[in-house]
Amino acid sequence: MLKKYNLLCQDFFNIAEPIIDKDILEQLKCNYSYEIDSKRKLSQIKDLKMFIRLLEKRDIMSCDNIAPLWYISKKYVHNSNLTSRLEDYENWLKTTPSLCNAYKNETPLTSKSMCLESTNSESTCSSVYSLSQSTRSTKLLNNNTQKEQCHLYNKRKLLQEKVLLQVKDKLGRSWRDIARHLGIRECEIDAVQNKYPYDLKEQSYEILKIYISQSDREEWAINFIHAFEKGRRRDLKELLEKLILQDGNV
């Protein structure tokens, strides 16, 4: 069973990895942050494979539960071959006895087992129940906070994309100067120039994308405004301020 599961995962990575970029990976981390319940572990995820392996270690995904693969496939990948592979695996799974998750490192103690092992079962059960309720409340609070963070992240990304699309059409030949004011390296500017030698809009869009990918999430807008001021593009500064005002959130 594990061999078939590993082959499925390998096929999944081959198809999905080129599609799952940095932004999508951040969305996935947000979506599963409550189940993973570890900011440190989430911060260590750098690619899709690391993300899937963490889901396995947290028992969110296993050889008899491929729900996360289905979610990623349907929401982001949209590949018929991958869909067929997942369907074939699930059909095969229905005829195969279930196995424990091979990646599960620990078997958590339930409240019941803790009570049975205790010499003072009644008091132990009461303590465990109270602790469980407290932990549940904390997790619910953390989940609400994480959902709000995900909402703000998605909102900021939409605003950034709106800014890029509108600014690229108006930036024109001043894109190189603005790029320098944004702190983009000369080699990156030259690379964009060579990639789109005759298309000012594509040059503008590409260089602005580079800036966004490197920028601080709290300072990206104010740095744009300063760059437009230094580049004497008051029109773009006012456009950005208008978009931010309409959005109501940076």
Side-chain angles (χ1 to χ4, degrees):
M1 187 175 190
L2 283 177
K3 182 178 180 181
K4 201 169 186 72
Y5 172 74
N6 289 333
L7 288 173
L8 174 69
C9 287
Q10 189 57 54
D11 289 343
F12 177 83
F13 291 137
N14 290 339
I15 296 172
E17 275 191 309
I19 298 168
I20 306 302
D21 58 18
K22 181 181 176 183
D23 289 340
I24 294 177
L25 188 62
E26 287 299 319
Q27 291 177 36
L28 289 172
K29 287 158 68 173
C30 279
N31 290 340
Y32 284 91
S33 59
Y34 176 63
E35 290 92 336
I36 293 172
D37 194 27
S38 172
K39 290 184 178 180
R40 183 177 66 84
K41 291 289 186 183
L42 285 168
S43 67
Q44 293 173 349
I45 296 174
K46 304 301 180 185
D47 55 38
L48 182 61
K49 282 185 180 178
M50 292 181 68
F51 176 72
I52 294 297
R53 296 312 176 207
L54 181 57
L55 294 185
E56 291 171 337
K57 289 179 181 178
R58 284 291 196 267
D59 202 21
I60 300 166
M61 188 178 112
S62 64
C63 53
D64 51 7
N65 174 23
I66 59 169
L69 299 187
W70 271 114
Y71 173 77
I72 296 170
S73 174
K74 289 179 178 179
K75 187 170 179 64
Y76 301 109
V77 181
H78 310 296
N79 183 288
S80 58
N81 290 333
L82 180 56
T83 301
S84 296
R85 284 287 287 113
L86 294 173
E87 287 175 346
D88 290 344
Y89 183 84
E90 288 216 321
N91 290 334
W92 172 81
L93 201 60
K94 291 174 184 177
T95 63
T96 305
S98 176
L99 294 178
C100 293
N101 184 2
Y103 296 93
K104 191 173 181 180
N105 295 326
E106 299 177 356
T107 303
L109 289 173
T110 63
S111 298
K112 184 177 180 181
S113 63
M114 290 178 71
C115 292
L116 290 173
E117 291 173 5
S118 172
T119 56
N120 190 356
S121 61
E122 185 175 346
S123 61
T124 303
C125 282
S126 177
S127 299
V128 170
Y129 177 77
S130 298
L131 179 60
S132 174
Q133 290 297 98
S134 175
T135 303
R136 181 180 177 83
S137 298
T138 302
K139 284 190 174 183
L140 286 173
L141 180 61
N142 289 339
N143 188 35
N144 290 335
T145 302
Q146 289 162 352
K147 283 183 177 179
E148 178 64 20
Q149 290 174 346
C150 287
H151 172 71
L152 292 175
Y153 171 84
N154 291 331
K155 192 174 182 181
R156 184 174 67 253
K157 284 296 177 184
L158 288 173
L159 174 59
Q160 288 174 340
E161 185 63 21
K162 187 187 296 184
V163 168
L164 295 192
L165 291 174
Q166 295 202 31
V167 169
K168 79 176 179 67
D169 292 335
K170 299 176 175 61
L171 195 53
R173 296 186 180 280
S174 60
W175 72 268
R176 292 180 68 98
D177 289 335
I178 296 300
R180 294 186 183 103
H181 292 315
L182 289 170
I184 297 175
R185 295 177 301 172
E186 203 67 32
C187 61
E188 291 177 299
I189 295 174
D190 291 339
V192 171
Q193 174 81 56
N194 294 332
K195 187 176 181 180
Y196 304 103
Y198 307 112
D199 194 329
L200 284 174
K201 289 184 179 180
E202 284 299 329
Q203 290 169 354
S204 300
Y205 185 71
E206 189 73 14
I207 207 70
L208 295 176
K209 268 179 55 179
I210 290 173
Y211 164 70
I212 288 292
S213 68
Q214 298 173 352
S215 66
D216 183 278
R217 66 181 182 179
E218 305 298 335
E219 301 291 334
W220 70 273
I222 194 67
N223 290 340
F224 257 144
I225 290 173
H226 290 161
F228 292 150
E229 285 178 337
K230 291 176 182 177
R232 298 182 180 180
R233 292 302 305 268
R234 185 180 179 84
D235 58 323
L236 296 180
K237 172 180 175 290
E238 292 175 351
L239 172 62
L240 177 57
E241 290 172 340
K242 179 182 177 182
L243 292 173
I244 292 173
L245 187 63
Q246 289 174 347
D247 184 81
N249 190 285
V250 178

